[in-house]
Amino acid sequence: MKNFLIKSVAFFFVFQCVSAQEGIINNIENPVDWVNPLIGSDSDHTLSNGNTYPAIAMPWAMNFWTPQTGNMGDGWAYTYSAKKIKGFKQTHQPSPWMNDYGQFSIMPVTGKLRFKEAERESWFSHKSEIVTPYYYSVYLADHDVTTEIAPTERAARFRFTFPETNEAYVVIDAFDKGSYVKIIPKENKIIGYTTKNSGGVPANFKNYFVIIFDKDFTVSKTFDGDKLLEIKETQADHAGAVIGFKTAKGEKVNLKVASSFISYEQAERNLKELGRDDFNEIKEKGKKIWNTELSRIKAGGGTAEQFTTFYSSLYRSLLFPRKFYEFDAKGKVVHYSPYNGKVLPGYMFTDTGFWDTFRALYPFLNLMYPELNQQMQEGLSNAYNESGWLPEWASPGLRDIMVGNNSASIVAEAYLKSEKKNNPEIENLYKALIHGANNAGPLRAVGRLGIDYYSSLGYVPYDAGINENAARTLEYAYDDFAIYKLGLALNKPKSETDLYKKRSLNYKNLFDSSTNLMRGKNKDGKFQEPFSPFKWGDAFTEGNSWHYSWSVFHDMQGLIDLMGGSEVFVSQLDKVFSSAPVFDESYYGSVIHEIREMQIANMGQYAHGNQPIQHMTYLYNYAGEPWKTQYWVKETMNRMYKATPDGYCGDEDNGQTSAWYVFSAMGFYPVTPASDQYVIGAPLFKRITLQLQNGKEVSINAPENNAQNKYIKSMKFNGKVDNNNWLSHSELLKGAVIDFEMSSTPNKNRGNSKADFPYSLSNEK
C-alpha cells in the first residue's frame, strides 16, 4: 500500500508539471533520473552511433566500471546488441579506437566452476538491467545471480545476490599481457595488478587492485591462462583468481574494491573512500553527487526526449578528462606519471584528445567549471615537465594519433576566460606552447609535424610525405591565433605576438579561389592535382575539403573576403547541405565509418558525426543570415541526437559531441574558443538556468519556444534589446538574463548588420 501511494504521488507530480501543450514538461526534479548511459552503445567498428559504453562512475572519476560483453582486449567492451555478459570491468577506456588500460574484471558464477570468458559468460536482458551513472544492476540468467555496482572516484561496492547453492564463485580476471593475483583467505581479500594497456605507458606501469569480501572463502584457486591452479598466488601472462562459498537463497555477498596506479598501499588508501557506508549509502551518495552537478544547468519547458538527450549529453560532458591523481597518506595530491613512471606531487588528468575536445568540451569546462579547469591546467604543466611536451592525445600518456597542436587552444582559452588571471603555471605553460609550436615532437601527433615547411612556406606541403597536410596547416593557424591572444594577455614582446598573429593567417595560403575551398598545395606553390572536394583523408583528417574549408575559427571575415563576399560565403555554406552525400574513399581503400555516417544522415555533405565541421552551422551569423544558423542548429539537434542506444550520429568522443548539444540547447556555441565570444544559435528549451561557479546565475528564457517557433524574432540582454549574433563570456560571468522572443518565421532584419557579427581577426583595429 505504501509503494502504491508513493507511485500515485509521483504520477500526480509529473502530471502537474506537464503543461497543457501536450508532451511539454515544465519542471523536473532529480535530473540524473533522465540520464540514459546506454545512449550511443548500439555501435560497432563499421558504424558508430556514439561508440560509447555505460560508464558507471562519478564525474571525472579515476576509475569507471562497465558490464563487459566483448572479449578481453576488445575495444567494444559493451555493445547494446550483445546478449551475454562476461564480467564487470574496471575500465579507463576513452574510446574503442584508443582501447583500454589498467583493466580487470569481476564475475559471479554458480554451478560448475567456470573461469574462462567463453564459459563463465551469462545471458542477460536489457529488461532486467538498470543503468544509471551512479548505480548498475543486472540479472545474470545462467547463474541466477543479480549483480549491483555503486562506485566512488577510485573505489566501488559490488553486491551479488546469489541463489541457494553449494557452488557460488567469484572470478577475478586480471587479464593478459602480464598480471598477478594473490588470495589472502584470512582477510577475505584478493590483491593483484594488471599491466594490460594499449600504449602510452612507461615500462613500470601497473594498476594495483584490492578486493575485500564480507564472506569467508571455502574455495581459493588461481589460474594461469586456461589452467586452474590449486595455489593462492600466481604471476603470469594472464593471471586470475577464483574464490567460492556456499550461499542461501537470496543471500547478498558484498565486495569492496579499489585500485591505484601507485601501489597496493595506495589502493588500500583509496578503499577508504567507501568509509563505513554500506552499498545503499554509497549508491545514494553517488546519486546526490550526480544530481548536484547536473542541476547546475536547470532546463525547463521541453519534451521527455529532449530532457533525456540533454541530461545524457551533460553526463557525457562530465566524464573526461579523467582524474589521474590520488591522495597520499597526508592527504596531498600525488600522481603516477604516465610520462616518466615516477610518483610525483600535483594534479594529472588524462584520456582526452584535444583535436576533438578543444572545440566545445573545454569551452564548456571554462564556462561551468573554471576551478576544476585550473587543476587541469596544473596537470598539463606537470605533463610538460615530465615529458618535455604538451599532450595532444593522452591515454594515459602521449599517443600518436590525430593532427594539430590544439593544446595551444586548451591553455590559452583557460587563461583568457579566467576571471582572476592568476594561474601560477601560466608562464611554464606558455613556454610549453612556444616549444610545441616550433618543434616536431617525438611522435607525429606531438608538437608540429612539418613545422619547418610551415615556418618557411606558410603551409605544410601536400608533396612532402606528410599525411593530412592541409588539415595540419589550418589547425596550426588557429593554434597560432590562440598563442597570439595569450601572448598579448601576458604582455609578451610585440615582435613575438606579431609573429603568431602573422602565422595565424596562414590559412589563406591554402584557399583555392577557383573552387572557393581549401586545397592541398605542393612545395612549388601549385595546388595539388587532381582535386576532388569529396575526397576523404589525403590532405584532410577524417573529412574532405567541404568539411575542413570552414576551419578558420578565428577569422571568418577573412575567409568571407577570400570568397568574394558574404553572398558567396552563404552560398557555399548552403551547398554543404544541398549537395548529395557523395564521397571518394580511395585514400583509405574502404569506406570508413565516418563516411558512412555522413552518407546515411540525409544532410548532404554535413558530417556532424565528426568534429571538423561541427561549428559550421553557426557560421551564417558572420554573413548576415543568422536565421539559417537557427534553422540548421535546430535541425541538427532534432535529427542527429536521439534518446536511444543509437542516439548519436558518430563517435561521441570524450564529451565533444555531447558538449556541442549542451551548448546548442542553451542557445550559443564557442566557434572561436580562444576569444571572449559565443555565437548565438537558437535555444532548445523554454528556459534554462546556469549556476556559475562564481555564484552568479545566467537565465535564458524563450517562453514561446516549440517545434514550430525555431527562429529568433528578438533578443534582450539584461532587459535591453540586443541585435548581436554573439554573447560575451566575460559579461555572462557577471550574471545575466537573456530573453528570446521566438517565431515560426525568420526575422531577416535582425543580426544582419556587420556591427552585429561575431569576432574575426580581420576586423581587429
Side-chain angles (χ1 to χ4, degrees):
M1 183 63 182
K2 181 179 179 182
N3 189 47
F4 172 77
L5 289 173
I6 291 172
K7 289 183 177 179
S8 298
V9 171
F11 175 80
F12 178 76
F13 175 76
V14 171
F15 179 80
Q16 290 296 307
C17 289
V18 178
S19 70
Q21 185 178 344
E22 186 177 355
I24 297 298
I25 303 170
N26 291 324
N27 298 294
I28 65 166
E29 300 291 334
N30 297 316
V32 72
D33 292 345
W34 295 85
V35 174
N36 179 6
L38 295 180
I39 294 176
S41 64
D42 191 8
S43 302
D44 59 39
H45 70 280
T46 65
L47 185 70
S48 174
N49 292 308
N51 265 336
T52 65
Y53 57 86
I56 316 305
M58 292 297 98
W60 307 287
M62 189 177 87
N63 300 327
F64 298 174
W65 291 91
T66 193
Q68 179 192 343
T69 63
N71 293 326
M72 176 176 61
D74 188 345
W76 283 264
Y78 177 100
T79 52
Y80 189 81
S81 60
K83 298 176 176 64
K84 295 181 179 180
I85 287 176
K86 303 175 188 294
F88 302 92
K89 187 170 80 158
Q90 185 188 98
T91 177
H92 305 95
Q93 180 171 295
S95 83
W97 307 109
M98 301 302 291
N99 215 304
D100 209 346
Y101 64 90
Q103 66 264 48
F104 62 93
S105 74
I106 302 172
M107 180 68 176
V109 176
T110 59
K112 181 182 177 182
L113 198 167
R114 291 159 285 173
F115 64 94
K116 302 174 189 177
E117 273 187 347
E119 296 175 358
R120 72 185 186 228
E121 65 183 2
S122 171
W123 280 77
F124 80 106
S125 168
H126 296 299
K127 299 178 183 67
S128 61
E129 186 182 38
I130 301 172
V131 191
T132 76
Y134 60 90
Y135 170 72
Y136 179 85
S137 175
V138 69
Y139 176 66
L140 301 173
D142 289 324
H143 304 305
D144 192 20
V145 175
T146 296
T147 295
E148 299 172 275
I149 308 171
T152 62
E153 287 190 348
R154 297 166 188 83
R157 272 192 171 275
F158 276 65
R159 185 165 65 189
F160 299 127
T161 303
F162 281 98
E164 182 178 359
T165 179
N166 293 330
E167 298 176 301
Y169 305 99
V170 177
V171 179
I172 311 299
D173 193 335
F175 287 14
D176 61 2
K177 308 303 181 184
S179 49
Y180 167 82
V181 293
K182 180 180 181 180
I183 304 172
I184 309 172
K186 63 183 179 181
E187 298 181 47
N188 295 341
K189 180 189 292 186
I190 299 171
I191 65 171
Y193 65 73
T194 174
T195 67
K196 191 172 179 64
N197 67 83
S198 305
V201 301
N204 67 345
F205 170 79
K206 291 183 176 70
N207 185 28
Y208 301 89
F209 58 82
V210 55
I211 305 170
I212 299 176
F213 291 71
D214 69 349
K215 187 176 178 64
D216 293 341
F217 306 158
T218 58
V219 175
S220 298
K221 301 177 186 290
T222 58
F223 60 86
D224 176 351
D226 292 343
K227 295 182 293 184
L228 192 63
L229 307 173
E230 299 294 330
I231 55 176
K232 295 179 174 60
E233 184 175 10
T234 297
Q235 182 179 5
D237 177 73
H238 182 186
V242 182
I243 58 91
F245 28 64
K246 297 179 181 180
T247 55
K249 183 177 180 180
E251 182 176 352
K252 299 183 188 303
V253 176
N254 289 272
L255 283 66
K256 297 190 294 184
V257 55
S259 68
S260 168
F261 295 107
I262 296 173
S263 66
Y264 291 120
E265 293 77 15
Q266 185 63 43
E268 293 271 7
R269 198 169 290 123
N270 293 342
L271 198 66
K272 294 179 181 178
E273 285 187 353
L274 299 171
R276 296 183 178 181
D277 294 335
D278 64 19
F279 185 94
N280 289 331
E281 288 169 325
I282 293 295
K283 174 183 172 183
E284 288 306 309
K285 283 185 175 180
K287 181 177 183 178
K288 183 178 180 180
I289 288 170
W290 272 108
N291 267 329
T292 297
E293 299 304 337
L294 296 172
S295 294
R296 293 188 58 188
I297 303 180
K298 296 181 179 179
T303 65
E305 180 171 1
Q306 287 170 341
F307 280 118
T308 297
T309 305
F310 179 78
Y311 282 109
S312 298
S313 295
L314 185 53
Y315 148 77
R316 290 280 170 194
S317 301
L318 302 180
L319 291 174
F320 296 102
R322 166 191 321 286
K323 294 176 179 178
F324 201 75
Y325 62 85
E326 305 173 49
F327 296 94
D328 68 12
K330 297 180 180 179
K332 293 184 177 181
V333 175
V334 295
H335 65 272
Y336 165 82
S337 173
Y339 303 103
N340 63 21
K342 298 177 181 179
V343 178
L344 297 166
Y347 291 103
M348 183 61 64
F349 291 80
T350 193
D351 290 328
T352 185
F354 294 157
W355 183 83
D356 303 292
T357 55
F358 88 86
R359 305 164 193 270
L361 190 277
Y362 275 90
F364 172 76
L365 295 175
N366 282 315
L367 177 62
M368 297 302 299
Y369 291 93
E371 294 176 10
L372 177 67
N373 208 26
Q374 179 65 40
Q375 297 174 2
M376 294 177 182
Q377 294 297 305
E378 181 184 326
L380 284 175
S381 185
N382 289 333
Y384 172 62
N385 293 338
E386 294 160 26
S387 71
W389 302 88
L390 287 175
E392 301 298 334
W393 229 120
S395 180
L398 301 176
R399 300 293 291 275
D400 198 14
I401 188 170
M402 308 313 293
V403 305
N405 182 216
N406 299 309
S407 55
S409 183
I410 303 299
V411 170
E413 184 199 8
Y415 186 81
L416 293 168
K417 286 182 176 174
S418 62
E419 286 186 281
K420 297 179 181 179
K421 306 288 190 296
N422 62 351
N423 181 356
E425 303 295 330
I426 194 59
E427 288 296 338
N428 193 49
L429 286 167
Y430 183 78
K431 176 184 174 183
L433 295 188
I434 298 300
H435 175 66
N438 294 286
N439 293 279
L443 305 173
R444 292 169 66 88
V446 177
R448 295 195 184 183
L449 185 64
I451 184 58
D452 291 340
Y453 290 114
Y454 180 80
S455 297
S456 60
L457 299 176
Y459 59 93
V460 181
Y462 179 79
D463 59 347
I466 297 173
N467 65 316
E468 301 164 5
N469 38 82
R472 294 180 192 275
T473 299
L474 295 169
E475 295 198 24
Y476 292 169
Y478 166 69
D479 298 331
D480 283 331
F481 167 80
I483 295 172
Y484 157 64
K485 281 296 188 181
L486 180 59
L488 288 179
L490 296 177
N491 296 313
K492 296 302 177 182
K494 188 174 186 298
S495 59
E496 188 165 282
T497 57
D498 282 351
L499 170 65
Y500 291 99
K501 181 179 182 180
K502 180 182 178 181
R503 284 177 23 169
S504 76
L505 299 176
N506 280 345
Y507 71 88
K508 295 182 179 183
N509 296 325
L510 295 188
F511 182 77
D512 173 19
S513 59
S514 69
T515 61
N516 273 329
L517 293 169
M518 297 295 175
R519 183 173 176 179
K521 182 179 281 188
N522 294 327
K523 286 180 281 188
D524 63 4
K526 295 179 181 178
F527 284 114
Q528 66 170 103
E529 292 285 357
F531 171 67
S532 168
F534 304 108
K535 186 176 184 180
W536 282 63
D538 200 15
F540 301 100
T541 302
E542 295 182 0
N544 61 32
S545 182
W546 278 113
H547 306 148
Y548 253 99
S549 290
W550 314 104
S551 293
V552 188
F553 311 95
H554 56 296
D555 194 19
M556 217 50 66
Q557 184 60 54
L559 183 59
I560 290 170
D561 294 341
L562 287 174
M563 287 188 178
S566 295
E567 187 174 335
V568 179
F569 180 80
V570 168
S571 175
Q572 285 290 89
L573 289 171
D574 290 343
K575 287 176 185 176
V576 172
F577 297 109
S578 63
S579 297
V582 297
F583 55 85
D584 174 357
E585 79 283 14
S586 59
Y587 174 77
Y588 297 109
S590 62
V591 178
I592 62 174
H593 74 93
E594 290 91 349
I595 294 176
R596 190 69 71 202
E597 289 143 20
M598 179 200 75
Q599 182 195 30
I600 65 177
N602 193 27
M603 291 184 77
Q605 286 292 315
Y606 184 64
H608 188 80
N610 213 19
Q611 280 66 38
I613 204 171
Q614 286 182 351
H615 66 296
M616 173 254 162
T617 50
Y618 285 88
L619 301 186
Y620 292 101
N621 282 290
Y622 295 80
E625 298 192 19
W627 57 91
K628 289 186 177 179
T629 283
Q630 294 154 27
Y631 174 84
W632 284 114
V633 167
K634 282 284 186 79
E635 283 291 294
T636 305
M637 282 193 284
N638 292 333
R639 290 166 57 179
M640 297 293 102
Y641 292 79
K642 299 293 182 183
T644 55
D646 63 347
Y648 289 102
C649 56
D651 287 350
E652 194 280 327
D653 280 329
N654 310 114
Q656 165 56 30
T657 302
S658 293
W660 185 96
Y661 186 91
V662 171
F663 265 121
S664 296
M666 294 191 294
F668 53 91
Y669 186 80
V671 170
T672 314
S675 77
D676 184 60
Q677 293 184 0
Y678 303 99
V679 180
I680 293 173
L684 184 66
F685 296 96
K686 292 181 181 294
R687 66 182 176 280
I688 199 162
T689 303
L690 316 183
Q691 301 289 342
L692 302 182
Q693 212 156 39
N694 64 4
K696 303 294 184 179
E697 185 175 284
V698 177
S699 296
I700 303 164
N701 305 302
E704 302 97 348
N705 214 351
N706 57 40
Q708 291 73 41
N709 292 346
K710 63 184 67 176
Y711 299 104
I712 297 173
K713 183 176 181 180
S714 66
M715 182 183 82
K716 290 182 179 179
F717 190 89
N718 289 339
K720 295 181 179 180
V721 174
D722 190 333
N723 288 320
N724 288 332
N725 295 336
W726 52 273
L727 297 170
S728 163
H729 173 83
S730 54
E731 288 300 310
L732 291 180
L733 292 186
K734 298 175 184 177
V737 177
I738 305 169
D739 296 302
F740 289 102
E741 183 181 2
M742 306 300 291
S743 172
S744 61
T745 57
N747 179 1
K748 297 184 178 182
N749 295 315
R750 184 196 173 278
N752 58 3
S753 170
K754 201 162 186 177
D756 305 328
F757 298 172
Y759 170 86
S760 287
L761 179 62
S762 290
N763 292 333
E764 276 194 359
K765 296 179 180 178

